[in-house]
């Protein structure tokens, strides 16, 4: 029997996430497959836990993962600065306000610049706000985090320890012995986690940062052990020889620590001898067989798009993409690397938490700890920025590239950028990546264009007025002279800023914020860096501008104008990059996941897609790259639609329209039209509704709900039903706490009671009903009662299907969970058919090469290799 399968039968008891799996992992280099097969079962169940039980009547599931707009509060400047800007605007008086609103952006920015002159009240207020965000290097923080890391290490929480050592390292000066200690400590944690390759990298890093000589033997022994685990016996032997030499040179010591060292050395030498005498069969170095690449024919005129699409333009729809031939579900339509992306801080990001003075470091890990500042790769052993404690990278290479491209300018602006929000940060990085000459070319072009529009409408600059349709894509905004639309700065620049539609208050806030950035660049002497990004052949080079000047230099003025345009564009064009993030640090038995917004980005090609509440594509992300696939058959001539957030499955039409109106349009998609026509009662509200406590018929009405059964006529206030719902959610939460305390039997009892209670006032399709089934499945899975778990999960899946549809990505993830439960329960034929269903759906949404599909296939292979005796039992 396949050895990995026997292990899958022993699912460790639920958390406390920490010590459980460590001993087995220590000597287990291939942790991925094991992780998937064993602890991931309850883990995925945990994933469905609602994030904000109070706000949502049901569980968020995965559906909420791909939101395009979702203006999180982190996108905009902090509340206090928004208020400050509003006060500043109010104080201007009506005449000046009016002038400002009518002025072209360049002139308005000049006025804003005067308002934010050094010494002005607003400038001082902003400075105070920035002090709350701590992005500098603080030795005291480094010490605190390292000690905290040691504590976690002592408690065998190696994942947490590694992250804390990373935090500590980010506060140390590069090249200092203290930094080297952080890396060495982290290497020990990584070793325990089974990340041997990365452990070796950290050991090398420690050595290159001046690791204290006297401590060297200990780390070198760890290195040898790593090499042995990786099967590099000769390298291990060489390392051991080096340790022996070193010890001999240092002379004989009799301390107990030294004795342990010698003992360890001898043990390892024995191991090397063993290995040398009986060389193991070559370790499978690359188990992943490369799959055939998907068939892909790139479009001639749209970079990254499939040749099955074509770019169209008309006044009603603007630019949009249309199928130029029939498209099958799952077909790859677009692969695009973000032009620019900025890692999002999270609500309550640690460095934004404290008010000045109060020193509070916390050990909650956020996006900045877990993902590379540049490429968004998940971090195991981060490389800190040389200048700040905020930016952490996956590799020295990423750190260097980011520094070259933008971070040398952004580094000292960290606190300001956190205070002003992600949109401002994206705007700055966009112009830095584009380079001054390209920015100034396009800003000047936009001035010409404005003049053209004012003077004559003749020159047929606007493609809608072009009489000749044979020009194809030539003349469509953002296309180059050959009619090609590429993911370039030109394309970004041509995204619509909707300048005339934003509220004057919002525009003023954006202006003041952009000016604040430029002023800071000038003050910090970074202007040259900004303009040198490409070349500054323009004008007389970069003369250092007077720091006291009330005006921005002409060059910075141009940058400011472009940045303002980008901030305004972002409101409609920001694309969220989302992932399923593992909660905790990966050393627990249970991997808890939730969808998180990782970054905000510009994808100029993806931005060509219009919105529909019932989209025909699915978007997935890998690092900073987006992939778009058809989620249903699309026939030639049909438009390709992306859902920007308000999906028909998750909201009523009124709610969707209201949300979309913030983004300046009214949705006329099929779903909206149908729902509007059919009257007010949308499907969603019916499904997620209350039912009559007396007769279980559905309840209708606003503040007071009445039973729809005329014979019953019971009425209840919405308020009391909502209170009942909140009580229920609290009970469910308690049940989950019991589960976390390994009191599974009590948790089951409590959940069953909740279910009884819920049946009295929630409709059978209510999301919360599904959630309870899901939790029950989770509890049974932790007890190894797979049959019961599967039964409950199947009921939960029915509800998911009602809400999201049978071929939705949500269904795919649910079936994936079910497949794992059936797999663990040896329900072979059911497992195989569920795997097939999950595979079919997830291939469409995530592609045949995604990890989920791979995991499903691994499960299938495992099941098919089972000996007959087991198969017959089922
Ligand atoms: Zn990276
Ligand atoms: Zn930095
Ligand atoms: Zn719609
Ligand atoms: Zn009734």
């Amino acid at each position: 029997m396949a050895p990995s399968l026997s292990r899958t039968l022993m699912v460790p008891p639920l958390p406390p996430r920490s010590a459980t799996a460590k001993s087995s992992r220590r000597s287990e280099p291939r942790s991925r497959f094991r992780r998937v097969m064993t602890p991931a079962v309850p883990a995925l169940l945990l994933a469905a836990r609602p994030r904000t039980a109070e706000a949502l009547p049901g569980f968020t599931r995965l559906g909420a993962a791909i939101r395009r707009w979702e203006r999180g509060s982190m996108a905009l400047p902090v509340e206090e600065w928004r208020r400050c800007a509003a006060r500043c605007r109010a104080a201007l008086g009506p005449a000046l306000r009016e002038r400002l609103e009518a002025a072209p952006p360049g002139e308005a920015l000049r006025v804003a610049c005067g308002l934010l002159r050094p010494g002005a009240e607003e400038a001082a207020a902003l400075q105070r706000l920035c002090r709350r965000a701590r992005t500098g290097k603080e030795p005291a923080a480094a010490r605190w985090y390292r000690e905290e890391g040691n504590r976690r290490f002592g408690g065998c929480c190696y994942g947490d320890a590694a992250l804390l050592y990373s935090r500590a390292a980010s506060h140390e000066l590069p090249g200092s012995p203290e930094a080297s200690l952080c890396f060495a400590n982290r290497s020990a944690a990584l070793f325990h986690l089974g990340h041997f390759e990365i452990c070796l990298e950290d050991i090398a890093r420690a050595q290159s940062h001046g690791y204290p000589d006297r401590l060297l033997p200990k780390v070198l022994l760890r290195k040898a052990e790593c090499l042995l685990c990786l099967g590099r016996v000769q390298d291990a032997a060489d390392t051991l020889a080096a340790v022996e030499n070193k010890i001999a040179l240092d002379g004989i010591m009799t301390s107990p620590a030294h004795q342990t060292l010698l003992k360890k050395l001898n043990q390892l030498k024995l191991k090397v001898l063993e290995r040398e005498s009986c060389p193991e069969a070559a370790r499978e170095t690359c188990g992943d067989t490369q799959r055939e690449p998907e068939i892909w024919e790139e479009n001639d005129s749209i970079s990254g798009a499939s040749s099955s699409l074509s770019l169209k333009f008309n006044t009603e729809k603007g630019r949009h993409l249309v199928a130029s031939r029939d498209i099958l579900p799952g077909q790859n339509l677009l692969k695009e690397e973000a032009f620019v992306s900025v890692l999002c801080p999270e609500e309550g990001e640690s460095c934004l938490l404290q008010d000045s003075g109060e020193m509070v470091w916390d050990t909650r890990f956020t996006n900045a700890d877990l993902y590379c500042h540049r490429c968004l790769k998940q971090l195991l052993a981060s490389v800190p920025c040389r200048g700040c404690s905020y930016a952490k990278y996956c590799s020295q290479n990423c750190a260097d590239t980011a520094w070259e491209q933008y971070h040398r300018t952004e580094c000292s602006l960290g606190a300001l950028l956190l205070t002003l929000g992600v949109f401002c940060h994206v705007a700055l990085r966009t112009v830095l990546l584009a380079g001054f000459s390209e920015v100034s070319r396009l800003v000047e072009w936009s001035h010409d264009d404005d003049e053209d529009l004012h003077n004559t409408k003749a020159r047929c600059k606007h493609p809608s007025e072009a009489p000749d349709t044979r020009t194809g894509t030539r003349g469509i905004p953002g296309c180059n002279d050959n009619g090609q639309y590429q993911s370039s700065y030109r394309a970004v620049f041509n995204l619509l800023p909707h300048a005339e539609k934003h509220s004057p208050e919002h525009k003023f806030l954006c202006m003041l914020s952009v000016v604040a950035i430029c002023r800071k660049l000038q003050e910090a002497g970074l202007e040259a860096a900004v303009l040198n990004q490409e070349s500054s052949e323009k004008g007389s080079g970069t003369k250092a501008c007077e720091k006291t000047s009330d005006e921005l230099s002409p060059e910075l003025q141009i940058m400011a104008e472009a940045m303002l345009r980008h901030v305004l564009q972002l409101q409609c064009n920001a694309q969220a990059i989302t992932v399923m993030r593992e909660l905790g640090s990966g050393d627990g038995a249970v991997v808890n996941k939730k969808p998180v917004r990782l970054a905000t980005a510009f994808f100029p090609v993806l931005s060509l897609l219009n919105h529909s509440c019932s989209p025909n594509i699915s978007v997935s992300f890998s690092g900073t790259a987006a992939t778009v696939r058809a989620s249903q058959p699309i026939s030639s001539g049909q438009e390709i639609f992306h859902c920007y957030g308000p999906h028909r499955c998750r909201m009523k039409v009124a709610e969707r329209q209201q949300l979309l109106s913030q983004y300046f349009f009214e949705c006329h998609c099929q779903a909206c039209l149908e729902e509007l026509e059919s009257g007010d009662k949308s499907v969603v509200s019916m499904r997620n509704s209350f039912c009559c406590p007396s007769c279980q018929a559905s309840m209708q009405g606003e503040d007071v709900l009445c039973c729809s059964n005329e014979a019953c006529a019971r009425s209840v206030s919405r308020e009391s039903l909502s209170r009942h719902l909140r009580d229920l959610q609290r009970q469910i939460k308690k049940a989950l706490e019991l589960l976390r305390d390994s009191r599974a039997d009590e948790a089951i009892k409590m959940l069953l009671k909740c279910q009884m209670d819920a049946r009295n006032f929630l409709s059978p399709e209510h999301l919360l009903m599904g959630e309870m089934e899901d939790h029950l499945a989770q509890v049974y899975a932790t007890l190894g009662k797979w049959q019961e778990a599967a039964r409950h999960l199947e009921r939960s899946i029915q509800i998911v299907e009602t809400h999201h549809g049978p071929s939705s990505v949500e269904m795919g993830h649910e079936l994936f969970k079910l497949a794992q439960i059936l797999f663990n329960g040896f329900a072979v034929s059911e497992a195989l058919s569920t795997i097939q269903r999950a595979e079919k759906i997830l291939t469409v949404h995530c592609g045949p090469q995604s990890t989920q599909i791979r995991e499903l296939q691994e499960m299938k292979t495992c099941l098919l290799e089972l000996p007959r005796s087991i198969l017959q039992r089922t």
Side-chain angles (χ1 to χ4, degrees), residues 98-287:
E98 224 164 86
R99 224 191 80 204
L100 208 57
E101 275 159 43
E107 204 184 308
L109 278 166
R110 256 185 287 275
V111 175
C113 195
L115 294 171
L116 211 61
R117 70 191 170 276
E121 195 187 313
E122 288 74 22
L126 186 57
Q127 229 168 21
R128 270 198 307 278
L129 288 172
C130 287
R131 256 176 247 137
R132 299 192 313 189
R134 323 180 75 110
T135 54
K137 296 200 182 281
E138 297 176 52
R143 240 171 290 129
W144 192 85
Y145 282 123
R146 205 169 69 226
E147 276 158 25
E148 195 61 23
N150 290 341
R151 224 170 52 77
R152 300 287 173 96
F153 189 92
C156 300
C157 298
Y158 302 115
D160 283 1
L163 284 166
L164 287 162
Y165 293 138
S166 296
R167 278 254 181 101
S170 73
H171 280 285
E172 299 288 10
L173 291 175
S176 65
E178 287 81 9
S180 78
L181 285 178
C182 296
F183 295 134
N185 287 2
R186 193 170 67 184
S187 77
L190 291 166
F191 179 81
H192 283 287
L193 291 167
H195 298 301
F196 303 120
E197 296 280 2
I198 304 161
C199 173
L200 288 176
E201 281 173 32
D202 251 2
I203 291 173
R205 211 169 271 138
Q207 283 179 288
S208 74
H209 282 258
Y211 191 67
D213 195 56
R214 62 191 165 82
L215 298 174
L216 212 51
K218 200 170 147 198
V219 217
L220 287 178
L221 285 180
R222 187 176 305 136
K223 181 177 171 184
E225 215 171 346
C226 263
L227 290 166
L228 264 180
C229 289
L230 291 167
R232 292 161 60 182
V233 182
Q234 187 53 50
D235 293 340
D238 294 348
T239 309
L240 288 178
V243 179
E244 260 183 315
N245 276 341
K246 173 96 182 82
I247 291 176
L249 272 176
D250 289 352
I252 295 141
M253 282 174 278
T254 47
S255 72
H258 191 72
Q259 293 303 321
T260 338
L261 206 65
L262 286 176
K263 210 170 125 198
K264 184 94 198 171
L265 174 66
N266 289 328
Q267 276 172 0
L268 285 173
K269 274 164 72 185
L270 270 177
K271 272 197 196 170
V272 168
L273 283 176
E274 262 169 43
R275 285 292 189 83
E276 278 170 341
S277 61
C278 77
E280 240 174 272
R283 275 174 182 267
E284 45 206 303
T285 37
C286 93

Side-chain angles (χ1 to χ4, degrees), residues 748-795:
I748 291 177
K749 252 182 236 155
M750 194 148 196
L751 283 169
L752 290 174
K753 212 178 116 253
C754 288
Q755 257 187 338
M756 296 267 284
D757 181 28
R759 282 194 196 109
N760 286 327
F761 75 110
L762 297 182
S763 66
E765 298 88 6
H766 198 285
L767 277 170
L768 200 59
M769 298 300 250
E771 189 183 338
M772 285 183 285
E773 296 287 1
D774 191 85
H775 293 322
L776 279 163
Q778 178 191 344
V779 189
Y780 283 115
T782 60
L783 293 172
K785 296 187 174 175
W786 306 110
Q787 266 184 356
E788 285 90 341
R791 217 181 56 228
H792 285 287
L793 191 59
E794 273 157 9
R795 277 195 221 127

Side-chain angles (χ1 to χ4, degrees), residues 385-391 393 403 407 410-412:
C385 170
R386 64 185 93 165
C388 65
S389 62
Y390 183 71
Y393 299 94
W403 186 263
H407 195 68
E410 292 177 3
C411 189
S412 62

Side-chain angles (χ1 to χ4, degrees), residues 692 694-697 699 707 709 712-714:
C692 172
S694 309
C695 73
Q696 273 78 52
M699 299 288 279
C707 179
N709 174 5
C712 168
R714 171 135 186 213

Side-chain angles (χ1 to χ4, degrees), residues 730-744:
R730 260 195 295 278
Q731 292 291 310
I732 294 172
K733 228 171 131 186
K734 267 191 207 152
L736 292 176
E737 277 159 23
L738 289 172
L739 179 59
R740 266 192 293 274
D741 294 341
S742 305
R743 292 155 69 185

